[in-house]
């Protein structure tokens, strides 16, 4: 007789682990993708949330505490890879990043562009925020980072 998993309390990381191997966790996983709401929870402007690792981490940790989600989602925006490849974005205090100047013109060869650099644009913000969040929650809550897909990135280039 196998034990009933619902009788044993699990942390978020254990729930995700079971889900990934096609097993039922003790309850449904609740995992909202929070950006502006997280910034509000952390008491920072959107401009700081999108451009400063400590503000992003502080905001996500505050939102996690407030809402008890089954993970921390370090989502920035869909232009983050294009920015790391040279496209320029505007960062206002009360709005998400918006594309100002794509790096490629209509006749430019996209294969001539270098791959995204983990040191350019806001990619370092997300990777540093991930490290800060992981230090804060340890192995009990998964920390997720998101990157946009190839067509979204191409549109921003």
């Amino acid at each position: 007789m196998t034990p009933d998993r619902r009788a044993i309390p699990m942390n978020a990381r254990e729930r995700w682990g079971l889900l990934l191997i096609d097993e039922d966790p003790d309850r449904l996983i609740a995992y909202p993708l929070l950006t502006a709401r997280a910034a509000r929870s952390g008491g920072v402007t959107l401009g700081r949330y999108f451009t400063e690792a400590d503000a992003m981490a502080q905001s996500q940790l505050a939102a996690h505490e407030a809402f008890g989600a089954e993970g921390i989602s370090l989502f920035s925006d869909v232009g983050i890879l294009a920015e790391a490849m040279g496209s320029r974005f505007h960062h206002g205090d009360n709005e998400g990043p918006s594309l100002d100047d794509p790096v490629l013109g209509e006749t430019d060869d996209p294969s001539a562009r270098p791959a995204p650099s983990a040191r350019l644009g806001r990619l370092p913000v997300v990777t540093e925020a991930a490290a800060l969040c992981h230090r804060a929650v340890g192995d009990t809550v998964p920390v997720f980072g998101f990157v946009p897909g190839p067509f979204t990135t191409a549109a921003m280039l």
Side-chain angles (χ1 to χ4, degrees):
M1 177 178 226
T2 58
D4 183 2
R5 284 196 181 93
R6 291 170 292 205
I8 304 168
M10 294 181 179
N11 66 39
R13 188 175 205 87
E14 292 166 333
R15 285 184 191 100
W16 279 99
L18 286 172
L19 187 66
L20 291 172
I21 61 169
D22 204 24
E23 295 288 331
D24 292 329
D26 61 340
R27 62 181 168 92
L28 291 175
I29 291 176
Y31 180 60
L33 183 63
L34 301 171
T35 52
R37 181 63 224 168
R40 200 170 304 130
S41 295
V44 302
T45 65
L46 284 175
R48 285 193 60 218
Y49 175 87
F50 287 115
T51 60
E52 299 175 22
D54 61 335
M56 183 181 281
Q58 168 189 328
S59 297
Q60 286 294 337
L61 292 167
H64 175 72
E65 180 70 25
F67 304 115
E70 302 292 335
I72 294 174
S73 58
L74 296 171
F75 177 74
S76 178
D77 62 280
V78 296
I80 196 163
L81 287 182
E83 186 180 56
M85 294 173 75
S87 290
R88 289 196 310 263
F89 285 75
H90 171 76
H91 307 283
D93 275 344
N94 298 309
E95 61 190 359
S98 59
L99 180 63
D100 279 343
D101 187 26
V103 71
L104 294 174
E106 289 183 28
T107 60
D108 292 335
D109 179 8
S111 65
R113 291 298 314 157
S117 170
R119 292 184 287 280
L120 294 177
R122 288 169 289 120
L123 280 178
V125 172
V126 176
T127 56
E128 186 180 336
L132 292 169
C133 287
H134 185 262
R135 277 196 289 269
V137 298
D139 288 332
T140 61
V141 179
V143 177
F144 297 99
F146 290 89
V147 292
F151 294 107
T152 302
T153 300
M156 300 277 179
L157 291 173

